[in-house]
mmCIF file of all heavy atoms in Angstrom:
data_model
loop_
_atom_site.group_PDB
_atom_site.id
_atom_site.type_symbol
_atom_site.label_atom_id
_atom_site.label_comp_id
_atom_site.label_asym_id
_atom_site.label_seq_id
_atom_site.Cartn_x
_atom_site.Cartn_y
_atom_site.Cartn_z
ATOM 1 N N VAL A 52 -7.625 10.665 -3.090
ATOM 2 C CA VAL A 52 -6.527 9.729 -3.319
ATOM 3 C C VAL A 52 -6.421 9.275 -4.762
ATOM 4 O O VAL A 52 -5.485 8.533 -5.105
ATOM 5 C CB VAL A 52 -6.640 8.491 -2.404
ATOM 6 C CG1 VAL A 52 -6.769 8.910 -0.945
ATOM 7 C CG2 VAL A 52 -7.804 7.603 -2.814
ATOM 8 N N LYS A 53 -7.325 9.705 -5.619
ATOM 9 C CA LYS A 53 -7.285 9.303 -7.017
ATOM 10 C C LYS A 53 -5.966 9.717 -7.661
ATOM 11 O O LYS A 53 -5.506 10.838 -7.488
ATOM 12 C CB LYS A 53 -8.456 9.917 -7.784
ATOM 13 C CG LYS A 53 -9.795 9.286 -7.475
ATOM 14 C CD LYS A 53 -10.908 9.940 -8.288
ATOM 15 C CE LYS A 53 -12.248 9.299 -7.996
ATOM 16 N NZ LYS A 53 -13.347 9.961 -8.737
ATOM 17 N N GLY A 54 -5.391 8.789 -8.395
ATOM 18 C CA GLY A 54 -4.117 9.048 -9.045
ATOM 19 C C GLY A 54 -2.912 8.784 -8.183
ATOM 20 O O GLY A 54 -1.787 8.763 -8.697
ATOM 21 N N ARG A 55 -3.117 8.592 -6.894
ATOM 22 C CA ARG A 55 -2.010 8.336 -5.978
ATOM 23 C C ARG A 55 -2.079 6.951 -5.339
ATOM 24 O O ARG A 55 -1.048 6.332 -5.102
ATOM 25 C CB ARG A 55 -1.977 9.391 -4.871
ATOM 26 C CG ARG A 55 -1.789 10.807 -5.376
ATOM 27 C CD ARG A 55 -1.571 11.792 -4.226
ATOM 28 N NE ARG A 55 -2.730 11.850 -3.334
ATOM 29 C CZ ARG A 55 -2.690 11.526 -2.043
ATOM 30 N NH1 ARG A 55 -1.548 11.132 -1.488
ATOM 31 N NH2 ARG A 55 -3.787 11.625 -1.304
ATOM 32 N N PHE A 56 -3.287 6.482 -5.051
ATOM 33 C CA PHE A 56 -3.480 5.186 -4.405
ATOM 34 C C PHE A 56 -4.038 4.183 -5.403
ATOM 35 O O PHE A 56 -4.813 4.536 -6.302
ATOM 36 C CB PHE A 56 -4.465 5.301 -3.240
ATOM 37 C CG PHE A 56 -3.964 6.066 -2.048
ATOM 38 C CD1 PHE A 56 -2.801 6.815 -2.094
ATOM 39 C CD2 PHE A 56 -4.684 6.028 -0.862
ATOM 40 C CE1 PHE A 56 -2.355 7.527 -0.989
ATOM 41 C CE2 PHE A 56 -4.250 6.729 0.246
ATOM 42 C CZ PHE A 56 -3.084 7.477 0.187
ATOM 43 N N THR A 57 -3.681 2.921 -5.219
ATOM 44 C CA THR A 57 -4.197 1.845 -6.047
ATOM 45 C C THR A 57 -4.583 0.667 -5.170
ATOM 46 O O THR A 57 -3.766 0.187 -4.382
ATOM 47 C CB THR A 57 -3.171 1.380 -7.090
ATOM 48 O OG1 THR A 57 -2.778 2.483 -7.918
ATOM 49 C CG2 THR A 57 -3.770 0.289 -7.974
ATOM 50 N N ILE A 58 -5.828 0.209 -5.302
ATOM 51 C CA ILE A 58 -6.269 -0.981 -4.596
ATOM 52 C C ILE A 58 -6.178 -2.177 -5.541
ATOM 53 O O ILE A 58 -6.487 -2.067 -6.729
ATOM 54 C CB ILE A 58 -7.702 -0.813 -4.039
ATOM 55 C CG1 ILE A 58 -8.072 -2.001 -3.146
ATOM 56 C CG2 ILE A 58 -8.715 -0.620 -5.155
ATOM 57 C CD1 ILE A 58 -9.375 -1.802 -2.381
ATOM 58 N N SER A 59 -5.752 -3.303 -5.021
ATOM 59 C CA SER A 59 -5.643 -4.512 -5.818
ATOM 60 C C SER A 59 -5.942 -5.715 -4.937
ATOM 61 O O SER A 59 -6.107 -5.584 -3.723
ATOM 62 C CB SER A 59 -4.256 -4.631 -6.461
ATOM 63 O OG SER A 59 -3.238 -4.691 -5.474
ATOM 64 N N ARG A 60 -6.009 -6.886 -5.557
ATOM 65 C CA ARG A 60 -6.331 -8.087 -4.796
ATOM 66 C C ARG A 60 -5.585 -9.293 -5.332
ATOM 67 O O ARG A 60 -5.211 -9.352 -6.504
ATOM 68 C CB ARG A 60 -7.840 -8.352 -4.842
ATOM 69 C CG ARG A 60 -8.359 -8.713 -6.225
ATOM 70 C CD ARG A 60 -9.856 -8.824 -6.254
ATOM 71 N NE ARG A 60 -10.332 -9.251 -7.562
ATOM 72 C CZ ARG A 60 -11.589 -9.250 -7.952
ATOM 73 N NH1 ARG A 60 -12.527 -8.833 -7.111
ATOM 74 N NH2 ARG A 60 -11.917 -9.665 -9.167
ATOM 75 N N ASP A 61 -5.382 -10.254 -4.459
ATOM 76 C CA ASP A 61 -4.842 -11.552 -4.815
ATOM 77 C C ASP A 61 -5.837 -12.565 -4.269
ATOM 78 O O ASP A 61 -5.820 -12.884 -3.080
ATOM 79 C CB ASP A 61 -3.455 -11.761 -4.215
ATOM 80 C CG ASP A 61 -2.811 -13.062 -4.658
ATOM 81 O OD1 ASP A 61 -3.536 -13.996 -5.045
ATOM 82 O OD2 ASP A 61 -1.573 -13.154 -4.610
ATOM 83 N N ASN A 62 -6.712 -13.044 -5.125
ATOM 84 C CA ASN A 62 -7.786 -13.927 -4.679
ATOM 85 C C ASN A 62 -7.260 -15.246 -4.109
ATOM 86 O O ASN A 62 -7.859 -15.808 -3.192
ATOM 87 C CB ASN A 62 -8.751 -14.205 -5.826
ATOM 88 C CG ASN A 62 -9.578 -12.993 -6.200
ATOM 89 O OD1 ASN A 62 -9.827 -12.120 -5.370
ATOM 90 N ND2 ASN A 62 -10.013 -12.930 -7.452
ATOM 91 N N ALA A 63 -6.167 -15.735 -4.652
ATOM 92 C CA ALA A 63 -5.605 -16.988 -4.155
ATOM 93 C C ALA A 63 -5.158 -16.871 -2.712
ATOM 94 O O ALA A 63 -5.182 -17.849 -1.967
ATOM 95 C CB ALA A 63 -4.437 -17.429 -5.037
ATOM 96 N N LYS A 64 -4.746 -15.684 -2.311
ATOM 97 C CA LYS A 64 -4.299 -15.445 -0.945
ATOM 98 C C LYS A 64 -5.359 -14.768 -0.085
ATOM 99 O O LYS A 64 -5.095 -14.481 1.081
ATOM 100 C CB LYS A 64 -3.037 -14.584 -0.946
ATOM 101 C CG LYS A 64 -1.836 -15.232 -1.614
ATOM 102 C CD LYS A 64 -0.624 -14.318 -1.555
ATOM 103 C CE LYS A 64 0.584 -14.967 -2.186
ATOM 104 N NZ LYS A 64 1.778 -14.079 -2.137
ATOM 105 N N ASN A 65 -6.532 -14.516 -0.664
ATOM 106 C CA ASN A 65 -7.595 -13.799 0.044
ATOM 107 C C ASN A 65 -7.088 -12.492 0.642
ATOM 108 O O ASN A 65 -7.414 -12.130 1.771
ATOM 109 C CB ASN A 65 -8.209 -14.682 1.131
ATOM 110 C CG ASN A 65 -8.877 -15.915 0.565
ATOM 111 O OD1 ASN A 65 -9.674 -15.829 -0.366
ATOM 112 N ND2 ASN A 65 -8.551 -17.071 1.118
ATOM 113 N N THR A 66 -6.305 -11.793 -0.138
ATOM 114 C CA THR A 66 -5.624 -10.604 0.329
ATOM 115 C C THR A 66 -5.874 -9.431 -0.610
ATOM 116 O O THR A 66 -5.875 -9.594 -1.831
ATOM 117 C CB THR A 66 -4.111 -10.856 0.436
ATOM 118 O OG1 THR A 66 -3.876 -11.900 1.385
ATOM 119 C CG2 THR A 66 -3.371 -9.612 0.890
ATOM 120 N N ILE A 67 -6.090 -8.267 -0.031
ATOM 121 C CA ILE A 67 -6.143 -7.037 -0.801
ATOM 122 C C ILE A 67 -4.981 -6.154 -0.388
ATOM 123 O O ILE A 67 -4.410 -6.305 0.697
ATOM 124 C CB ILE A 67 -7.470 -6.273 -0.636
ATOM 125 C CG1 ILE A 67 -7.678 -5.832 0.821
ATOM 126 C CG2 ILE A 67 -8.637 -7.117 -1.122
ATOM 127 C CD1 ILE A 67 -8.794 -4.817 0.987
ATOM 128 N N TYR A 68 -4.659 -5.217 -1.276
ATOM 129 C CA TYR A 68 -3.534 -4.335 -1.056
ATOM 130 C C TYR A 68 -3.955 -2.898 -1.326
ATOM 131 O O TYR A 68 -4.893 -2.635 -2.074
ATOM 132 C CB TYR A 68 -2.368 -4.695 -1.977
ATOM 133 C CG TYR A 68 -1.940 -6.131 -1.887
ATOM 134 C CD1 TYR A 68 -2.496 -7.093 -2.725
ATOM 135 C CD2 TYR A 68 -0.989 -6.534 -0.962
ATOM 136 C CE1 TYR A 68 -2.106 -8.420 -2.642
ATOM 137 C CE2 TYR A 68 -0.592 -7.855 -0.876
ATOM 138 C CZ TYR A 68 -1.157 -8.796 -1.715
ATOM 139 O OH TYR A 68 -0.761 -10.111 -1.623
ATOM 140 N N LEU A 69 -3.248 -1.990 -0.718
ATOM 141 C CA LEU A 69 -3.408 -0.582 -1.023
ATOM 142 C C LEU A 69 -2.022 0.010 -1.221
ATOM 143 O O LEU A 69 -1.276 0.182 -0.253
ATOM 144 C CB LEU A 69 -4.153 0.159 0.083
ATOM 145 C CG LEU A 69 -4.471 1.625 -0.216
ATOM 146 C CD1 LEU A 69 -5.503 1.722 -1.347
ATOM 147 C CD2 LEU A 69 -4.980 2.344 1.027
ATOM 148 N N GLN A 70 -1.686 0.277 -2.474
ATOM 149 C CA GLN A 70 -0.429 0.931 -2.793
ATOM 150 C C GLN A 70 -0.643 2.427 -2.694
ATOM 151 O O GLN A 70 -1.470 2.990 -3.411
ATOM 152 C CB GLN A 70 0.039 0.554 -4.194
ATOM 153 C CG GLN A 70 1.337 1.226 -4.622
ATOM 154 C CD GLN A 70 2.521 0.776 -3.803
ATOM 155 O OE1 GLN A 70 2.713 -0.414 -3.586
ATOM 156 N NE2 GLN A 70 3.323 1.726 -3.335
ATOM 157 N N MET A 71 0.087 3.068 -1.813
ATOM 158 C CA MET A 71 -0.059 4.486 -1.560
ATOM 159 C C MET A 71 1.218 5.199 -1.993
ATOM 160 O O MET A 71 2.285 4.973 -1.416
ATOM 161 C CB MET A 71 -0.348 4.755 -0.083
ATOM 162 C CG MET A 71 -1.579 4.024 0.439
ATOM 163 S SD MET A 71 -1.964 4.451 2.159
ATOM 164 C CE MET A 71 -0.536 3.726 2.980
ATOM 165 N N ASN A 72 1.093 6.030 -3.011
ATOM 166 C CA ASN A 72 2.219 6.788 -3.530
ATOM 167 C C ASN A 72 2.013 8.275 -3.300
ATOM 168 O O ASN A 72 0.890 8.743 -3.129
ATOM 169 C CB ASN A 72 2.398 6.526 -5.025
ATOM 170 C CG ASN A 72 2.725 5.089 -5.340
ATOM 171 O OD1 ASN A 72 3.410 4.411 -4.576
ATOM 172 N ND2 ASN A 72 2.258 4.612 -6.487
ATOM 173 N N ASN A 73 3.109 9.011 -3.334
ATOM 174 C CA ASN A 73 3.068 10.462 -3.148
ATOM 175 C C ASN A 73 2.240 10.832 -1.925
ATOM 176 O O ASN A 73 1.335 11.664 -1.983
ATOM 177 C CB ASN A 73 2.511 11.141 -4.400
ATOM 178 C CG ASN A 73 2.695 12.643 -4.375
ATOM 179 O OD1 ASN A 73 3.582 13.167 -3.699
ATOM 180 N ND2 ASN A 73 1.845 13.357 -5.112
ATOM 181 N N LEU A 74 2.576 10.222 -0.822
ATOM 182 C CA LEU A 74 1.813 10.445 0.401
ATOM 183 C C LEU A 74 1.928 11.884 0.883
ATOM 184 O O LEU A 74 2.989 12.509 0.783
ATOM 185 C CB LEU A 74 2.271 9.482 1.484
ATOM 186 C CG LEU A 74 1.725 8.062 1.323
ATOM 187 C CD1 LEU A 74 2.578 7.068 2.094
ATOM 188 C CD2 LEU A 74 0.276 7.997 1.789
ATOM 189 N N LYS A 75 0.824 12.376 1.399
ATOM 190 C CA LYS A 75 0.736 13.734 1.909
ATOM 191 C C LYS A 75 0.435 13.709 3.399
ATOM 192 O O LYS A 75 -0.100 12.725 3.908
ATOM 193 C CB LYS A 75 -0.375 14.497 1.178
ATOM 194 C CG LYS A 75 -0.209 14.558 -0.328
ATOM 195 C CD LYS A 75 -1.394 15.239 -0.977
ATOM 196 C CE LYS A 75 -1.237 15.310 -2.481
ATOM 197 N NZ LYS A 75 -2.398 15.970 -3.124
ATOM 198 N N PRO A 76 0.754 14.784 4.115
ATOM 199 C CA PRO A 76 0.440 14.810 5.546
ATOM 200 C C PRO A 76 -1.034 14.544 5.835
ATOM 201 O O PRO A 76 -1.354 13.936 6.863
ATOM 202 C CB PRO A 76 0.851 16.222 5.967
ATOM 203 C CG PRO A 76 1.947 16.575 5.025
ATOM 204 C CD PRO A 76 1.538 15.955 3.707
ATOM 205 N N GLU A 77 -1.921 14.976 4.961
ATOM 206 C CA GLU A 77 -3.339 14.755 5.178
ATOM 207 C C GLU A 77 -3.759 13.301 5.017
ATOM 208 O O GLU A 77 -4.899 12.938 5.339
ATOM 209 C CB GLU A 77 -4.192 15.642 4.252
ATOM 210 C CG GLU A 77 -3.805 15.549 2.789
ATOM 211 C CD GLU A 77 -2.889 16.673 2.350
ATOM 212 O OE1 GLU A 77 -1.940 17.001 3.099
ATOM 213 O OE2 GLU A 77 -3.118 17.242 1.260
ATOM 214 N N ASP A 78 -2.860 12.450 4.515
ATOM 215 C CA ASP A 78 -3.135 11.023 4.442
ATOM 216 C C ASP A 78 -2.894 10.320 5.771
ATOM 217 O O ASP A 78 -3.213 9.133 5.906
ATOM 218 C CB ASP A 78 -2.269 10.354 3.373
ATOM 219 C CG ASP A 78 -2.574 10.849 1.975
ATOM 220 O OD1 ASP A 78 -3.762 11.003 1.635
ATOM 221 O OD2 ASP A 78 -1.606 11.068 1.210
ATOM 222 N N MET A 79 -2.327 11.012 6.715
ATOM 223 C CA MET A 79 -2.016 10.407 8.003
ATOM 224 C C MET A 79 -3.308 10.016 8.713
ATOM 225 O O MET A 79 -4.175 10.852 8.954
ATOM 226 C CB MET A 79 -1.199 11.367 8.852
ATOM 227 C CG MET A 79 -0.747 10.778 10.183
ATOM 228 S SD MET A 79 0.551 11.779 10.960
ATOM 229 C CE MET A 79 -0.278 13.357 11.114
ATOM 230 N N ALA A 80 -3.427 8.744 9.039
ATOM 231 C CA ALA A 80 -4.642 8.218 9.649
ATOM 232 C C ALA A 80 -4.417 6.764 10.025
ATOM 233 O O ALA A 80 -3.395 6.165 9.682
ATOM 234 C CB ALA A 80 -5.821 8.324 8.676
ATOM 235 N N VAL A 81 -5.390 6.210 10.728
ATOM 236 C CA VAL A 81 -5.452 4.771 10.915
ATOM 237 C C VAL A 81 -6.241 4.198 9.747
ATOM 238 O O VAL A 81 -7.361 4.636 9.476
ATOM 239 C CB VAL A 81 -6.111 4.383 12.248
ATOM 240 C CG1 VAL A 81 -6.222 2.868 12.374
ATOM 241 C CG2 VAL A 81 -5.312 4.949 13.415
ATOM 242 N N TYR A 82 -5.655 3.245 9.061
ATOM 243 C CA TYR A 82 -6.288 2.633 7.900
ATOM 244 C C TYR A 82 -6.882 1.290 8.287
ATOM 245 O O TYR A 82 -6.217 0.451 8.896
ATOM 246 C CB TYR A 82 -5.271 2.465 6.765
ATOM 247 C CG TYR A 82 -4.973 3.756 6.056
ATOM 248 C CD1 TYR A 82 -4.240 4.762 6.688
ATOM 249 C CD2 TYR A 82 -5.438 3.992 4.765
ATOM 250 C CE1 TYR A 82 -3.989 5.963 6.059
ATOM 251 C CE2 TYR A 82 -5.182 5.190 4.122
ATOM 252 C CZ TYR A 82 -4.451 6.174 4.777
ATOM 253 O OH TYR A 82 -4.197 7.364 4.130
ATOM 254 N N TYR A 83 -8.144 1.096 7.909
ATOM 255 C CA TYR A 83 -8.890 -0.100 8.274
ATOM 256 C C TYR A 83 -9.267 -0.899 7.032
ATOM 257 O O TYR A 83 -9.727 -0.331 6.035
ATOM 258 C CB TYR A 83 -10.171 0.258 9.026
ATOM 259 C CG TYR A 83 -9.944 0.927 10.356
ATOM 260 C CD1 TYR A 83 -9.876 2.309 10.460
ATOM 261 C CD2 TYR A 83 -9.803 0.174 11.516
ATOM 262 C CE1 TYR A 83 -9.671 2.927 11.678
ATOM 263 C CE2 TYR A 83 -9.599 0.778 12.738
ATOM 264 C CZ TYR A 83 -9.535 2.159 12.815
ATOM 265 O OH TYR A 83 -9.339 2.772 14.030
ATOM 266 N N CYS A 84 -9.099 -2.187 7.125
ATOM 267 C CA CYS A 84 -9.537 -3.102 6.086
ATOM 268 C C CYS A 84 -10.996 -3.472 6.315
ATOM 269 O O CYS A 84 -11.429 -3.663 7.455
ATOM 270 C CB CYS A 84 -8.656 -4.351 6.109
ATOM 271 S SG CYS A 84 -9.047 -5.590 4.867
ATOM 272 N N ASN A 85 -11.751 -3.587 5.236
ATOM 273 C CA ASN A 85 -13.179 -3.894 5.308
ATOM 274 C C ASN A 85 -13.530 -5.026 4.353
ATOM 275 O O ASN A 85 -12.932 -5.158 3.279
ATOM 276 C CB ASN A 85 -13.998 -2.647 4.954
ATOM 277 C CG ASN A 85 -15.467 -2.943 4.732
ATOM 278 O OD1 ASN A 85 -15.917 -3.111 3.596
ATOM 279 N ND2 ASN A 85 -16.220 -3.006 5.820
ATOM 280 N N ALA A 86 -14.509 -5.822 4.751
ATOM 281 C CA ALA A 86 -15.082 -6.833 3.874
ATOM 282 C C ALA A 86 -16.584 -6.867 4.078
ATOM 283 O O ALA A 86 -17.065 -6.774 5.211
ATOM 284 C CB ALA A 86 -14.480 -8.208 4.149
ATOM 285 N N GLN A 87 -17.324 -6.984 2.988
ATOM 286 C CA GLN A 87 -18.771 -7.098 3.033
ATOM 287 C C GLN A 87 -19.171 -8.475 2.542
ATOM 288 O O GLN A 87 -18.737 -8.908 1.472
ATOM 289 C CB GLN A 87 -19.433 -6.014 2.186
ATOM 290 C CG GLN A 87 -19.226 -4.613 2.725
ATOM 291 C CD GLN A 87 -19.966 -3.569 1.922
ATOM 292 O OE1 GLN A 87 -20.313 -3.789 0.765
ATOM 293 N NE2 GLN A 87 -20.216 -2.426 2.538
ATOM 294 N N LYS A 88 -20.019 -9.131 3.328
ATOM 295 C CA LYS A 88 -20.388 -10.507 3.059
ATOM 296 C C LYS A 88 -21.904 -10.656 3.042
ATOM 297 O O LYS A 88 -22.602 -10.069 3.869
ATOM 298 C CB LYS A 88 -19.790 -11.420 4.133
ATOM 299 C CG LYS A 88 -20.048 -12.902 3.940
ATOM 300 C CD LYS A 88 -19.366 -13.703 5.048
ATOM 301 C CE LYS A 88 -19.626 -15.186 4.902
ATOM 302 N NZ LYS A 88 -18.956 -15.960 5.975
ATOM 303 N N THR A 89 -22.402 -11.441 2.097
ATOM 304 C CA THR A 89 -23.831 -11.711 2.038
ATOM 305 C C THR A 89 -24.076 -13.066 1.390
ATOM 306 O O THR A 89 -23.274 -13.539 0.576
ATOM 307 C CB THR A 89 -24.576 -10.620 1.251
ATOM 308 O OG1 THR A 89 -25.980 -10.871 1.299
ATOM 309 C CG2 THR A 89 -24.144 -10.609 -0.218
ATOM 310 N N TRP A 90 -25.193 -13.678 1.776
ATOM 311 C CA TRP A 90 -25.661 -14.906 1.141
ATOM 312 C C TRP A 90 -26.849 -14.609 0.244
ATOM 313 O O TRP A 90 -27.559 -15.517 -0.183
ATOM 314 C CB TRP A 90 -26.032 -15.945 2.196
ATOM 315 C CG TRP A 90 -24.860 -16.470 2.947
ATOM 316 C CD1 TRP A 90 -24.378 -16.012 4.138
ATOM 317 C CD2 TRP A 90 -24.016 -17.554 2.560
ATOM 318 N NE1 TRP A 90 -23.278 -16.744 4.513
ATOM 319 C CE2 TRP A 90 -23.033 -17.701 3.560
ATOM 320 C CE3 TRP A 90 -23.988 -18.425 1.452
ATOM 321 C CZ2 TRP A 90 -22.044 -18.669 3.496
ATOM 322 C CZ3 TRP A 90 -22.996 -19.390 1.390
ATOM 323 C CH2 TRP A 90 -22.040 -19.506 2.405
ATOM 324 N N GLY A 91 -27.092 -13.348 -0.026
ATOM 325 C CA GLY A 91 -28.200 -12.900 -0.850
ATOM 326 C C GLY A 91 -29.215 -12.073 -0.095
ATOM 327 O O GLY A 91 -30.074 -11.443 -0.710
ATOM 328 N N GLY A 92 -29.119 -12.065 1.220
ATOM 329 C CA GLY A 92 -30.004 -11.281 2.049
ATOM 330 C C GLY A 92 -29.271 -10.131 2.689
ATOM 331 O O GLY A 92 -28.744 -9.254 2.002
ATOM 332 N N PRO A 93 -29.212 -10.121 4.026
ATOM 333 C CA PRO A 93 -28.495 -9.034 4.705
ATOM 334 C C PRO A 93 -27.013 -9.013 4.344
ATOM 335 O O PRO A 93 -26.411 -10.053 4.064
ATOM 336 C CB PRO A 93 -28.703 -9.350 6.190
ATOM 337 C CG PRO A 93 -29.917 -10.217 6.231
ATOM 338 C CD PRO A 93 -29.871 -11.025 4.977
ATOM 339 N N VAL A 94 -26.452 -7.824 4.360
ATOM 340 C CA VAL A 94 -25.030 -7.647 4.115
ATOM 341 C C VAL A 94 -24.347 -7.353 5.444
ATOM 342 O O VAL A 94 -24.793 -6.490 6.203
ATOM 343 C CB VAL A 94 -24.771 -6.510 3.119
ATOM 344 C CG1 VAL A 94 -23.279 -6.280 2.948
ATOM 345 C CG2 VAL A 94 -25.412 -6.831 1.781
ATOM 346 N N PHE A 95 -23.275 -8.057 5.712
ATOM 347 C CA PHE A 95 -22.547 -7.897 6.957
ATOM 348 C C PHE A 95 -21.182 -7.296 6.684
ATOM 349 O O PHE A 95 -20.494 -7.687 5.744
ATOM 350 C CB PHE A 95 -22.391 -9.241 7.664
ATOM 351 C CG PHE A 95 -23.690 -9.884 8.030
ATOM 352 C CD1 PHE A 95 -24.309 -10.767 7.160
ATOM 353 C CD2 PHE A 95 -24.300 -9.596 9.238
ATOM 354 C CE1 PHE A 95 -25.510 -11.362 7.492
ATOM 355 C CE2 PHE A 95 -25.508 -10.187 9.581
ATOM 356 C CZ PHE A 95 -26.115 -11.068 8.706
ATOM 357 N N ASP A 96 -20.803 -6.349 7.519
ATOM 358 C CA ASP A 96 -19.508 -5.692 7.425
ATOM 359 C C ASP A 96 -18.543 -6.249 8.454
ATOM 360 O O ASP A 96 -18.901 -6.438 9.626
ATOM 361 C CB ASP A 96 -19.641 -4.189 7.645
ATOM 362 C CG ASP A 96 -20.061 -3.454 6.393
ATOM 363 O OD1 ASP A 96 -19.262 -3.429 5.431
ATOM 364 O OD2 ASP A 96 -21.175 -2.896 6.381
#
């Protein structure tokens, strides 16, 4: 996806975005949002 997709964020809205350009048939999928959280120990997805 390099050169076609761009990830960005708006911290004030706690929102991330994925701008997908020049989409191809092979891009067809279910897209999932992920967040990783930690307090310094274990990381939770």
Side-chain angles (χ1 to χ4, degrees):
V52 307
K53 287 181 179 178
R55 299 188 298 119
F56 291 11
T57 302
I58 187 171
S59 61
R60 66 186 184 191
D61 185 337
N62 290 333
K64 297 181 179 180
N65 297 310
T66 299
I67 62 167
Y68 306 91
L69 185 68
Q70 179 66 47
M71 304 184 293
N72 297 326
N73 191 24
L74 282 160
K75 302 176 180 180
E77 51 263 44
D78 296 317
M79 184 165 59
V81 177
Y82 284 71
Y83 296 91
C84 181
N85 168 263
Q87 294 184 339
K88 183 178 179 180
T89 184
W90 292 94
V94 176
F95 299 91
D96 277 294

